[in-house]
Amino acid sequence: MNATASIELPELNTMLSEQYLSGIVIVNREYAEVTLNKDGLKQEKYRRKLAEKRNPLSIEQGPHFRYRFPSNDVFVTQFYEQQKKLPEKDQIKVETENRSDMVAVFIQWGLFILMFVGLFLLMRRMTGAGGPGGQIFNIGKSRAALFDADNKVRITFNDVAGLDEAKEEIKEIVDFLKNPTKFTRLGGKIPKGALLVGPPGTGKTLLAKAVAGEAGVPFFTLSGSDFVEMFVGVGAARVRDLFKQAKEKAPCIVFIDEIDAIGRSRGRGQVPGANDERENTLNSLLVEMDGFATDSGVIILAATNRPDVLDSALMRPGRFDRQISIDKPDIMGREAIFKVHLAPLLLNEDVEARKLAAQTPGFAGAEIANVCNEAALIAARRDKDKVDMQDFQDAVDRVIGGLEKKNKIISPEEKRIVAYHEAGHAVAGWYLEHADPLVKVSIVPRGVAALGYAQYLPKEQFLYTTEQFIDEMCMTFGGRAAEEIVFSRISTGALSDLERITKMAYGMVSIYGMNPRLGNISYYDSKQSEYSFNKPYSEETARMIDEEVRKLIEHAYERTKVILSEKREQLEIIAQELLTKEILFQNDLERLIGKRPFAQETTYQAYINDSNAKAAKASNEAKSEIIIDLEKK
Ligand code: ADP
Ligand code: MG
Ligand code: ZN
């Protein structure tokens, strides 16, 4: 074939209009090969161009030029448009041709063959070397880690503090495996599974690990998310494989952590069909759990902190027969957990687990472990030989509120507002009979948002009365009321307070039926899905609810202002003390403004003052809370 020179569209157009062309061939819908006619070949400019590419003797032979067009269709339409304007005899012959480029074809085939060989080698490696994980042909294998005699966990029940009831239950399950006849002799059946339920960080995983350490039977452990893979059907295959392995190793225990990853109730809050894969996995889990007999010697443990989202089929007896609930520890539990985590530290004599437990209401085991570790780090940073109580105090503050902002610039004026605001809460609460007692109040700025915080200790109770709600609202108003009384001006600092108050007021009126005008009616729907826009009451009722809420809140605010005006002196004392000391505890308040005028001693105080342990044990302060106050804008 003859070499061609490339040209651009304007040149081609000239050739067309001057009638220098004899024909055009469109090749592979990619370019056009242009052949000149006799007139065209006489043109000096074209001859010169061609002479660069080929020897002068073959210049006459077409095709001569090549035009690579950006788009076949555009070119063809434009070309025919032009052609149409010309008289018939001048029109040029256009052909289309498909040519295959031998070199390109050869390269394509070569690549194809190479790929095939590569794939073949890869497959041989994958099936041959058979190690665990990550390999395509093992994808349906379960990812469970197995602990048995050769591969031991060293955590024991002694590492798990508190949780006595949970430990009992779990120990019993281990007994079932070791000595089944003891239990089945009277006709009972051994449970198939137990579900550990509780808030994050309360030691569910830890407890399961301890079982692995103590059971003396093989222990498979994996997490709910280990079943999930991007390929369809893998989860179900893994479930089947897990149970197959478990049956081979029976008697044994299988532990599925964070089971909510697969156990979420089917078809809930999602587009239909959107998550078939997870459903399949769950179904196969249900089938497998039904499939093995109770005497097969496999017991399934699972843990979750979202029992509410679990599918009810999972929870029915015959699968997870037992639910072991693990709550946040009470003061005794916290003391025990502190003891476990204090043990490896080098401590100063003034560190007492009991005091620390008293200062950390609402902490879960994980937070306590964190406090102990932080304290050790803080002490090390201060070049101390031993960790002392001050380090622990700072660690608690840090875990609650985030890092202390040493260099955070707060104007003295703002600092005063914060101090009076917090003092307002403290004083109001002190003189309100049903408000929760204060544990600690701090105006050290921390973290990103908090300028101060107050920590309260809710009473050991589960039922709230109207009076308690109202006192609680008043105490929460203490901050803003103090600001208004002292500075005659309010700030944005009360945002989170107002939010809490509004929630409480709406709760009283529309949920708990505590409003005389609306009566004993509750618009709360426990079955309601999370996204529901229609309200179950009329416009008129809505207006009534709003009015009553407003009234309630106004009353509470007025009442708070009255209390604080009466106790203006005490407010002043506490605020001044806060400004100098920054952190005050309950006993500081007692020292400064006297005991609370309400005689009743809580079981909690009983426990701190002396170890009336029985009383404290009966109590449950799972609801203790920390209120980070004073949002910074
Ligand atoms: P989860 O309940 O979320 O699974 P973990 O078992 O992972 O919580 O607990 C996290 C950490 O908290 C543990 O590694 C342990 O250090 C500490 N912890 C929690 N509960 C206890 C407890 N009862 N006794 C001792 N340490 C605990
Ligand atoms: Mg866990
Ligand atoms: Zn406040």
Side-chain angles (χ1 to χ4, degrees), residues 421-422 425 476 478-480 493-494 496-497 629-630:
H421 180 107
E422 294 300 339
H425 286 306
T476 315
R480 168 153 282 197
S496 54
D497 294 342
D629 199 6
L630 274 175

Side-chain angles (χ1 to χ4, degrees), residues 550-616:
R550 195 169 291 277
K551 230 195 282 176
L552 204 60
I553 290 180
E554 256 161 42
H555 279 315
Y557 189 54
E558 288 310 318
R559 181 166 168 237
T560 314
K561 279 205 294 193
V562 170
I563 294 175
L564 286 183
S565 308
E566 277 171 12
K567 305 289 178 192
R568 181 65 222 267
E569 217 174 294
Q570 284 86 342
L571 180 65
E572 196 63 41
I573 295 171
I574 301 292
Q576 290 306 330
E577 187 79 359
L578 259 180
L579 278 171
T580 49
K581 288 230 181 113
E582 294 206 318
I583 296 176
L584 293 182
F585 291 95
Q586 194 174 24
N587 49 7
D588 293 316
L589 259 74
E590 249 165 49
R591 178 170 53 81
L592 291 165
I593 58 176
K595 276 200 183 315
R596 278 184 94 191
F598 314 108
Q600 19 131 270
E601 196 181 27
T602 60
T603 45
Y604 178 78
Q605 283 162 327
Y607 182 78
I608 304 177
N609 295 341
D610 118 287
S611 53
N612 189 351
K614 283 256 164 54

